[in-house]
Amino acid sequence: MQLFGRKSRTQIEKLPDGQDRLPPGQYLTAKWPVLSYERTPQKLPANWKLKIKGLVEYPFELTWEELLALPRTTITSDIHCVTTWSRYDNTWEGVHIREILQRAKPLPGAKFVMVHSWTDYTTNLPLVDLDDDDVIIAIKHDGKELEAEHGGPVRLVVPRLYFYKSAKWLDGFEFMEQDRPGFWEQRGYHNHADPWQEERYW
Ligand SMILES: Nc1nc2c(c(=O)[nH]1)N[C@H]1C(S)=C(S)[C@@H](COP(=O)(O)O)O[C@H]1N2
Ligand SMILES: [Mo]
């Protein structure tokens, strides 16, 4: 990504839009904490499929092999967790969300998306926030297979929202007309989760 030009990225303190790179109330950590409410699943279920359903012109399902056969991209982005840690310069490799959106073609009535994990975790977001340049279905982090505790072998990464919107152990996207709260959104976390607006709780 060319966002930060040629300078060393960690020295950059402002985003291209002029906002501070570190959102208000966040501190930087080099470590990568693990936050999961459920037990870490040790491998992909045998019958795993990525399920694209709801208000789309072409609903479809992908097997693991079919997902891996889609075009790959690599994106470097920052993590901001609602519990106030941020981690800069995570390099994600995987399938860009637009590879999915272009095939599915969300209908005009689709305004929201529920993201599903096979562990039953869910998180909701507006389609406009999912359909973004740096949203990726990640299978590698910093050049290595994504570890199970961090959502391996496959998770979503939505870097412009707090990290609870980035579902680990991903297995589906459900396109919806009406918004509906996901797992943490039902338990007091903010429905939208913009770190620069400090949308932490509601
Ligand atoms: N399936 C699932 N995805 C999840 C979570 C979870 O509990 N289960 N926690 C969310 C929260 S609150 C955060 S901060 C990040 C943590 O990701 P990490 O453990 O890789 O740091 O995953 C998000 N995705
Ligand atoms: Mo979190």
Side-chain angles (χ1 to χ4, degrees):
M1 234 184 17
Q2 297 305 311
L3 218 56
F4 296 93
R6 296 167 61 90
K7 285 195 195 171
S8 161
R9 296 171 51 101
T10 46
Q11 293 169 359
I12 305 284
E13 297 302 333
K14 294 279 185 191
L15 298 175
D17 64 4
Q19 297 190 99
D20 288 337
R21 182 174 181 186
L22 191 66
Q26 296 292 114
Y27 74 92
L28 263 183
T29 175
K31 286 181 295 196
W32 189 7
V34 172
L35 283 112
S36 315
Y37 97 92
E38 70 273 57
R39 188 189 301 246
T40 296
Q42 289 308 320
K43 59 181 172 112
L44 203 70
N47 59 350
W48 182 92
K49 287 204 171 94
L50 185 68
K51 299 178 263 302
I52 313 301
K53 60 185 182 184
L55 294 179
V56 294
E57 204 170 324
Y58 303 109
F60 62 92
E61 299 187 349
L62 295 175
T63 64
W64 181 240
E65 290 71 26
E66 287 167 338
L67 177 68
L68 294 184
L70 292 181
R72 295 283 178 89
T73 189
T74 301
I75 296 174
T76 301
S77 62
D78 299 341
I79 295 173
H80 306 295
C81 176
V82 69
T83 61
T84 74
W85 59 268
S86 291
R87 187 179 189 279
Y88 283 174
D89 293 332
N90 302 272
T91 299
W92 306 100
E93 183 184 322
V95 174
H96 199 281
I97 192 65
R98 291 195 176 120
E99 297 291 342
I100 301 298
L101 295 175
Q102 283 162 10
R103 285 169 175 78
K105 292 198 195 300
L107 293 167
K111 300 293 181 211
F112 300 93
V113 183
M114 189 67 82
V115 185
H116 292 267
S117 303
W118 74 80
T119 53
D120 291 339
Y121 183 86
T122 53
T123 186
N124 58 303
L125 73 175
L127 177 55
V128 291
D129 289 326
L130 184 72
D131 185 3
D132 211 342
D133 291 345
D134 48 12
V135 175
I136 184 170
I137 298 172
I139 57 174
K140 287 191 179 184
H141 175 268
D142 290 352
K144 291 183 297 218
E145 305 294 316
L146 194 55
E147 287 170 57
E149 60 186 2
H150 288 301
V154 59
R155 78 175 299 160
L156 183 66
V157 177
V158 184
R160 296 188 212 203
L161 298 176
Y162 284 128
F163 211 31
Y164 58 91
K165 299 292 184 180
S166 295
K168 306 197 276 191
W169 312 301
L170 177 71
D171 82 342
F173 296 97
E174 176 188 354
F175 293 80
M176 318 185 292
E177 183 177 353
Q178 303 287 340
D179 199 11
R180 215 167 77 218
F183 179 85
W184 283 119
E185 293 84 358
Q186 290 171 38
R187 290 164 176 78
Y189 283 16
H190 199 282
N191 198 50
H192 184 229
D194 179 344
W196 288 273
Q197 303 300 321
E198 280 213 83
E199 294 173 339
R200 295 179 196 274
Y201 309 103
W202 71 330

